[in-house]
């Protein structure tokens, strides 16, 4: 009883720690970005102001390019040479991890370090990236680290939380960490919980969800306290999240605007599908031709230089001057404008993306010219498609929000122009709706994204329009291709399972799905055969059978002995390492001394089979697997249909299941890969099912 | 392919319809309550004002009592004689339904009618009840009705949505309806989704959740449109939900208030546990002694009279006068107060509970005297414990909020008194926190309740304190007893499964859990045996076996033949009804003509076996069950542990599973009842497991 209560308390304590650490890391990232950006922009901005008069604009331009390329180079080197797993937003990887697929290095501390420093470089280097995806990934790594009470990379073991060293417990904490990351990034604790559920959970559990919520609340709170302290109003706790979309004063909408929003949803879906398609082609190209590390670094530097160039060109040719409202705004860039005016274009490019988002949402009507916004949308769209997939940590939320806000604001300006009397046509509101549409079209998330947007605006009255827009954008986008995260998951050939069994699969039976010749072990198996099979075979679980003769060489064999249980690769390796062989003189003693912790201590990095040294004498000994196997795993009948097998896997998070016939004979194994082969194609309104090839790697 | 798309579109359409209908019903309930209440209170209030001067107060008092008792009598008759299932909040019943347990009459149209009219009577009759729980139940019934495209009660069949006539589909829609109910009641669409998930879902599905969210958004929107239309500002859509807690102007809190909130959480937990304990004892008493219908009606009338009396006595002895701020507030009651003043006590009792909630949250500091609030807390606490469980529809949210807001406001007044300088000690804020604590202590919901409160206040900055309070209230309460909904579920002896397998149950194997002598059918079974078994046995699913002789009378038999598949009671009845007997001359023709719709059309009310008439000649015929049985259901090994079986049931929503040994012989069946016997006791910090007796009814 006490053990259970202690474990329960430890779970809450770990959730608290996850929340606090994630909040602190978010603060750190934010602080570093603010610091480097303000240095860079301050320098470039002053230089520009000077050179506008002296006709030496090439100098600040080159300086800007050099700045960006240099900072981004640092980030790209960190990722390419340090830890390639730190590239991108990390959301696809977290998705796979929560789906039950082990991807190496995803939750290592080294990944965390590269991710944090890398994202600072990427954002400060002016790339079209955000810091939100990386922040979510960081939260997940923190959770994995804290919950295990040790770091295998550093060889530190605090000897605490040893009972959490299992896949299930770790995965639960990682989902808490991801939620805490969302909470810190957007100030959206509820959105974070829903994100974890939408992307990861297969089975809703009240206690678990409550702990996840606790972690994300703590993370928002920590961030809040630290930020309010930095800003000099300690305990003024009304400043959640790193991207606050700012408050919408007059948050009303009229019923007749809903059709407009729906059209915006369609546009968002179309643009999103285009975005994903271009990005897909680029990624495939990159996988084929940009393999070497230094190539990746150079590509990142090229994009960084191009981003700076694009910015400069836009500013140069779009001399969109607006009167300064307030002399105190020292950050505004005058550029070619008259005194007392500032260049809005320069302003968009000479500040962090977060500030641009706020400006697009909240600046007065008339702050931007039409051509500025149009040009900006186009340039940023192309840059963002190119950037996502570079060898730097890069979030997608901010670029999508910027693109969407730009064309959304354009829509608002259009309505202002068409109906000059209308007070409902607030460009800021339309910028928000455009941002939602673009996000929905690209990432295709549903309820969690709605709640994130609602929480980030701090306003629930926009809930319904945002939801309608996201729904339509997702429908339109799904007509053409998948969401960008799913796309990247599939490019990597990861056997992820969807939400529903493939349609039209109910006439496919286990016999067709299963992998056929099965590698099985006998209840009493020789050490030699175990070693050679583990070396030759990559599977994770093996059925243990009786009435089976491995040396009976008929290849067309239908069954593989009577099913007795299942044994896991890691268990076998530990048994070999501890030499739990029946012929050992001290066999009884070894058996008595074996503890659960023997299996737990090596988690999660089991020694590979190659590291186990055995004498040839030992290879002739036998292991009694019945003592260690799982004697009652889930099995399925050979007549079970694909949807039924799918549900079993999905609901229980299984990795493999044995197929037995009605004589209790093993006739096959079904793994995630076998199921993931059957994929639904639902493009252009057509639904069909296809077997696809999953890379066996 | 087309079939699939049509089905998908139909699902969305049904969700839309559910949202709209639920929203409309919520409007109807609200309108009727407002109407009856304003008539009643207007009448009584005027009379009181007159009688205060004429010393005839007994007259309005008696009139008030008579009014209440009469209105409540009407509601109680509706429930007791009309549909007993309409009593209470309906949340426990919905919980069971979503958990996969069939409770008769829960989602009938008759229940809906009794519920809607009943709750109007209960609230208008002045009982200490709210309309929220019943609204959630109404949403669920609407969903069940709309999704089936017919009403069996009225014998109407629109012949649409026939493909939704299965348990799974219907349950999915019902969860959407419950969410729509929450959304309409509290203006909390996200909270509604989370409510459905927390109370019902066992398996998170992205598409389903998105549809549920759509239904709840639609419901909020519909309510919003209708309400804004009634109030004369059509399309002014910023008025969601029936209970709006009103906006908190200055929604800040300081870090040092968090410990105070934590103590309030403890108080809420203690009071909640006390509330549940008293209500539990009353319910048990009622089950034993108040069985007859007219007794139930009389009890409801007694409580109604007592409520009126308590109100009157409170008003009479608490002459808490406050100056009127505004001459236009015609609703205020002067009572014994001087001119230009009004009696706050009278005011609490002479308006609908919703208005009282708003007053307690938002009235100026100093609007209430300490003794008024103290007396009110005590009286309302006792009345509410007595009321929940009466034979009227009754929601628990509003009473809990009122009690909590009253003592929470007291806390705020205390801090105002102790620290006269403090501007943080806003009584309204403390009233909100007290309401959260009380709700948490009584209903013990977690994330959904947090989000509901946050959405109802329209303010996310109180999220963290509300969450902390709910967490602590739940912990403290769980130390003593269960949440009130779980308590009522268990009183009814429903075999509901928790979230987690019972602790310390991993050494219990399937052999111990399963029901032992199993009723099985042979692959070719005689009609006579089927009929007699269906009449004698209440089970829902029966294993079909080969190698079994039913006339072999050894009782100590261990196995029941080789497992071939499973057949459901309803299928057998349809087979008998259609006379699918092998000896029938037109057997092949019948077989060819049998369609899925034959099984679907009778859903959900299958004819009882007693209605099937068969000649004695037909009784000697045989049915070939292999054609209709499910040949590959989930099975478990006799060595499987209880937690493993539990997870299978919970994750896949199973109702029964066959236990087979390693020779593929049927040796037992596990049903929900078998699992629900193992219950965790976690009282007073002790955790232990116990087998309990589940009523077999």
């Amino acid at each position: 009883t006490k053990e259970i209560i202690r474990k329960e308390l430890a779970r809450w304590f770990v959730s608290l720690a996850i929340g606090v650490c994630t909040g602190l890391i978010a603060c750190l990232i934010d602080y570093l970005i603010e610091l480097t950006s303000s240095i860079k922009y301050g320098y470039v901005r002053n230089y520009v102001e000077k050179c506008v008069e002296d006709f030496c604009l090439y100098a600040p331009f080159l300086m800007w390019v050099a700045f960006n390329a240099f900072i981004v180079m640092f980030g790209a080197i960190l990722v390419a040479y340090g830890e390639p797993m730190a590239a991108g937003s990390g959301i696809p990887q977290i998705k796979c991890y929560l789906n039950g697929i082990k991807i190496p290095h995803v939750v290592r501390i080294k990944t965390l370090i590269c991710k944090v420093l890398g994202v600072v470089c990427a954002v400060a280097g002016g790339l079209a990236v955000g810091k939100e995806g990386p922040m979510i990934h960081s939260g997940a790594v923190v959770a994995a680290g804290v919950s295990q009470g040790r770091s295998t990379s550093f060889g530190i073991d605090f000897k605490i939380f040893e009972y959490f060293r299992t896949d299930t417990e770790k995965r639960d904490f990682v989902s808490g960490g991801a939620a805490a990351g969302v909470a810190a990034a957007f100030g959206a604790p509820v959105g974070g919980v829903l994100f974890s559920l939408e992307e990861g959970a297969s089975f809703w559990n009240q206690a678990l969800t409550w702990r996840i919520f606790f972690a994300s609340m703590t993370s928002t709170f920590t961030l809040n306290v630290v930020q309010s302290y930095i800003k000099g109003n300690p305990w003024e706790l009304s400043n959640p999240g790193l991207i606050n979309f700012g408050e919408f004063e007059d948050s009303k909408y009229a019923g007749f605007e809903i059709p407009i929003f729906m059209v915006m949803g369609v546009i968002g879906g179309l643009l999103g599908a285009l975005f994903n398609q271009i990005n897909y082609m680029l990624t495939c190209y990159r996988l084929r031709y940009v393999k070497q590390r230094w190539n990746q670094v150079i590509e990142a530097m090229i994009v960084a230089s191009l981003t700076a160039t694009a910015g400069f060109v836009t500013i140069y040719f779009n001399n969109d001057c607006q009167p300064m409202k307030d002399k105190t705004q020292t950050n505004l860039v005058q550029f070619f404008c008259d005194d007392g005016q500032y260049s809005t274009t320069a302003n968009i490019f000479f500040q962090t993306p977060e500030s641009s988002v706020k400006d697009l949402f909240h600046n007065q009507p008339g702050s931007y010219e039409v051509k500025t916004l149009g040009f900006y949308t186009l340039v940023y769209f192309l840059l963002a498609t190119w950037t996502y997939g570079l060898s730097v940590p890069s979030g997608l939320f901010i670029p999508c929000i910027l693109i969407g806000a730009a064309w959304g604001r354009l829509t608002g300006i259009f309505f202002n122009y068409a109906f000059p009397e209308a007070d409902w046509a607030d460009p800021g509101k339309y910028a928000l709706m455009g941002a939602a549409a673009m996000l929905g079209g690209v990432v295709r998330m549903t309820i969690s994204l709605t709640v994130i947007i609602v929480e980030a605006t701090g306003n629930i009255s926009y809930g319904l329009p945002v939801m309608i827009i996201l729904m339509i954008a997702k429908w339109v986008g799904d007509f053409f291709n998948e969401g960008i995260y799913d796309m990247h998951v599939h490019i990597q050939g990861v056997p992820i399972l969807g939400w529903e069994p493939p349609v039209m699969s109910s006439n496919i039976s286990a016999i067709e799905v299963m992998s056929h010749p099965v590698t099985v072990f006998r209840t009493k198996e020789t050490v030699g055969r175990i070693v050679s099979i583990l070396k030759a075979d990559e599977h994770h679980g093996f059925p243990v059978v009786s009435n089976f003769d491995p040396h009976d060489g008929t290849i067309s064999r239908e069954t593989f002995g009577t099913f007795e249980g299942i044994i896991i690769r890691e268990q076998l390796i530990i048994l070999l390492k501890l030499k739990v062989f029946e012929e050992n003189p001290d066999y009884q003693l070894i058996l008595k001394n074996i503890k659960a912790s023997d299996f737990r201590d090596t988690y999660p990095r089991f020694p590979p089979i190659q590291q186990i040294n055995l004498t040839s004498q030992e290879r002739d000994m036998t292991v009694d697997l019945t003592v260690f196997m799982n004697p009652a795993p889930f099995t399925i009948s050979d007549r079970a249909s694909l949807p039924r097998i799918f549900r079993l896997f999905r609901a229980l998070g299984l990795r493999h299941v044995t197929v037995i016939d009605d004589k209790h004979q093993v006739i096959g194994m079904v793994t995630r890969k076998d199921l993931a082969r059957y994929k639904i194609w639902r493009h252009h309104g057509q639904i069909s099912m296809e077997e696809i090839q999953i890379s066996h790697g």
Side-chain angles (χ1 to χ4, degrees), chain A residues 487-630:
Chain A
M487 200 170 249
H488 279 259
V489 166
H490 286 133
I491 288 175
Q492 288 161 29
V494 178
I496 202 167
L497 298 183
W499 294 101
E500 302 261 10
V503 284
M504 299 179 291
S505 62
S506 50
N507 52 350
I508 299 173
S509 77
I511 302 230
E512 291 163 80
V513 178
M514 70 191 187
S515 308
H516 185 46
V518 187
T519 317
V520 295
F521 289 116
R522 290 164 296 179
T523 43
K524 300 212 174 193
E525 189 56 87
T526 63
V527 174
R529 186 157 176 269
I530 295 180
V531 172
S532 57
I533 285 181
L534 287 186
K535 279 184 182 162
D537 193 312
E538 284 189 326
H539 280 109
H540 182 244
F542 301 91
V544 177
V545 297
S546 50
N547 308 321
F548 175 75
D549 177 10
H551 308 293
D552 169 13
T554 36
I555 293 188
S556 63
R557 182 156 40 192
E558 297 266 305
T559 65
F560 302 84
T562 311
F563 184 66
E564 296 290 339
I566 214 158
I567 194 143
I568 306 299
R569 179 180 209 90
E570 281 87 28
Q571 290 175 317
L572 289 170
I573 290 180
I574 302 294
L575 292 182
L576 294 180
K577 199 180 153 200
L578 299 178
K579 303 197 191 301
V580 195
F581 309 142
E582 283 190 307
E583 288 81 359
N584 253 352
D586 44 0
Y587 178 61
Q588 291 305 328
L589 193 71
I590 298 179
L591 263 193
K592 226 170 65 188
N593 286 338
I594 243 173
K595 287 183 301 291
S597 63
D598 288 325
F599 294 93
R600 214 162 51 189
D601 276 353
T602 43
Y603 180 83
R605 295 188 215 166
F606 291 92
I609 179 70
Q610 285 76 8
Q611 279 182 19
I612 307 286
N613 292 316
L614 294 165
T615 63
S616 68
Q617 202 186 352
E618 281 169 337
R619 281 173 181 266
D620 291 334
M621 294 180 171
T622 54
V623 183
D624 183 3
L625 297 179
T626 50
V627 185
F628 301 99
M629 71 185 186
N630 173 358

Side-chain angles (χ1 to χ4, degrees), chain A residues 132 136 181-188 240-245 397 401 452 455-456:
Chain A
E132 289 63 38
I136 298 168
V182 176
F186 301 98
L242 286 184
I243 323 186
N244 197 318
F245 290 168
F397 277 83
I401 290 174
I452 287 174
E455 286 190 287

